[in-house]
Amino acid sequence: MPLSESPAPPQPYRWDLLRPDRLGTLLDGVPEPNLWFLEELTDCAAKVVARSGDADLRFVGRSADSVFDLLGGALDGSSWQGRLERLPLSCARDPASLSPRELRRLREHLAAAGLDPRALARRRRPLALVDLVWMGRTFTTLHTVLRDWVEEVREPWPVVRLKLRYLGITSRKPTSPNTYRWHRHAPWTLDLPAAGIHSVSLDAGVWHLLGNVQHKTAASYPPANWHLDEDRRRQEQQPDGERRSSVAPQHGADNRAALAEARALVTAGRSSVVRGALVRTMRAEPAFRERWLRSLARELRGLPPAPSRTCS
């Protein structure tokens, strides 16, 4: 069975925050979170969408979960609903160090996220990977694996390269010729057109919060954990059955606090205040000249789609 037709491999469980009634009493007694970073996060989220080039978005790992949650609330019920998904892998290792078993599992995760070479080549819209970036090692690993996979299955790289994008959220630094730019130091970025690589700078304090401090709703998922579920079943001599869809959810105090914050961000995203702020930031982006972004802005403002132009 081709990987693109295989079921998704196990991933850390994450609650469906767009349907909060499923949380039951899980958050009872959890204090209301302080969203002191909401304004900066909203600005970042708007730029992520605007600089995606109308691509579907896949959020890598856990670092940008707050951006994912805010946009999930803001875009719920819009034409963009369903275009945001997570790829909850931690994979900053040298691709050459991945075992054959780990490489196959990584490909299964990529295929489940729409990144199978065959699927990429036949996509109508591009697909953009989004992550917090320091040195760009995770993007380097993913691109190297994808590029080798494309060559192996003989899909046309000139076609695939137009469907694949990387959007790095960086820590804001003073503008200087000597400032480190991750995409300028990664040779693989030359594989892609200029539209395939973009950055969004985020306030350094908020970037540090998301990348280094913030509690998350699920555990990290590095290569060492990719087969734990299967190995545990094998050790317990349980029948294989169907592959599980997720690794068990975390219910610790930190996880519950993270879940409360994530739910609050989804709720904030649905508000007219945040949606208005998203539109204001989008208006200042060069991509606002393009019809797709103007149309999305109208939706966020609660307006009907702009009428199509017809030739007389």
Side-chain angles (χ1 to χ4, degrees):
M1 178 186 294
L3 285 182
S4 58
E5 299 175 8
S6 301
Q11 294 180 350
Y13 180 86
R14 198 168 196 265
W15 287 267
D16 181 0
L17 296 172
L18 296 179
R19 308 291 176 266
D21 56 300
R22 299 182 182 182
L23 298 179
T25 61
L26 187 60
L27 297 182
D28 286 359
V30 178
E32 282 294 316
N34 177 11
L35 302 182
W36 60 267
F37 53 91
L38 182 58
E39 184 176 347
E40 282 285 346
L41 191 73
T42 302
D43 182 74
C44 172
K47 291 175 181 176
V48 164
V49 172
R51 298 178 190 181
S52 73
D54 199 21
D56 294 334
L57 304 178
R58 300 292 181 267
F59 289 79
V60 181
R62 306 178 302 162
S63 297
D65 277 357
S66 291
V67 181
F68 173 83
D69 292 329
L70 188 74
L71 285 175
L75 301 175
D76 190 26
S78 76
S79 60
W80 270 63
Q81 184 173 332
R83 292 181 56 178
L84 281 66
E85 294 182 13
R86 297 173 69 252
L87 180 61
L89 304 179
S90 174
C91 189
R93 276 172 42 182
D94 181 345
S97 72
L98 294 171
S99 69
R101 188 186 190 205
E102 289 170 339
L103 179 60
R104 174 157 183 93
R105 177 49 53 89
L106 176 55
R107 287 184 175 185
E108 289 175 350
H109 282 290
L110 293 173
L115 287 155
D116 177 281
R118 178 180 174 83
L120 273 175
R122 290 155 181 78
R123 288 186 63 85
R124 181 171 65 89
R125 287 189 296 260
L127 193 153
L129 295 172
V130 183
D131 193 13
L132 263 66
V133 168
W134 184 252
M135 302 293 289
R137 288 181 299 184
T138 297
F139 280 171
T140 296
T141 298
L142 294 177
H143 186 81
T144 302
V145 169
L146 282 168
R147 188 71 168 89
D148 291 345
W149 194 6
V150 169
E151 292 292 332
E152 180 183 317
V153 299
R154 298 184 179 182
E155 285 293 335
W157 177 247
V159 174
V160 173
R161 71 191 290 268
L162 298 178
K163 304 296 180 67
L164 183 61
R165 296 178 180 176
Y166 295 86
L167 211 164
I169 300 173
T170 62
S171 178
R172 188 172 300 139
K173 299 178 177 66
T175 302
S176 164
N178 298 321
T179 299
Y180 180 86
R181 307 292 183 191
W182 69 273
H183 50 87
R184 295 179 184 171
H185 292 78
W188 61 264
T189 60
L190 299 177
D191 269 352
L192 300 171
I197 305 290
H198 279 289
S199 289
V200 173
S201 67
L202 178 62
D203 173 81
V206 180
W207 192 97
H208 176 66
L209 168 73
L210 301 186
N212 301 319
V213 178
Q214 185 184 49
H215 296 302
K216 306 297 182 180
T217 61
S220 179
Y221 205 47
N225 294 347
W226 291 351
H227 292 88
L228 286 181
D229 199 57
E230 292 177 358
D231 292 343
R232 188 178 299 113
R233 286 205 308 272
R234 189 176 296 110
Q235 291 171 1
E236 296 171 354
Q237 297 183 337
Q238 295 178 358
D240 288 340
E242 294 184 1
R243 180 183 287 167
R244 294 190 206 176
S245 61
S246 62
V247 177
Q250 305 288 311
H251 293 101
D254 289 343
N255 301 108
R256 292 170 66 229
L259 184 59
E261 184 175 87
R263 184 180 67 172
L265 287 170
V266 171
T267 301
R270 289 193 171 108
S271 71
S272 60
V273 173
V274 166
R275 287 179 172 176
L278 289 170
V279 171
R280 286 192 295 275
T281 299
M282 289 175 180
R283 283 181 177 277
E285 288 290 304
F288 202 75
R289 296 191 297 264
E290 300 176 30
R291 183 178 178 83
W292 69 269
L293 188 56
R294 296 198 307 273
S295 177
L296 176 59
R298 287 182 63 88
E299 288 190 73
L300 290 173
R301 292 168 58 202
L303 300 175
S308 301
R309 295 180 180 178
T310 56
C311 296
S312 56

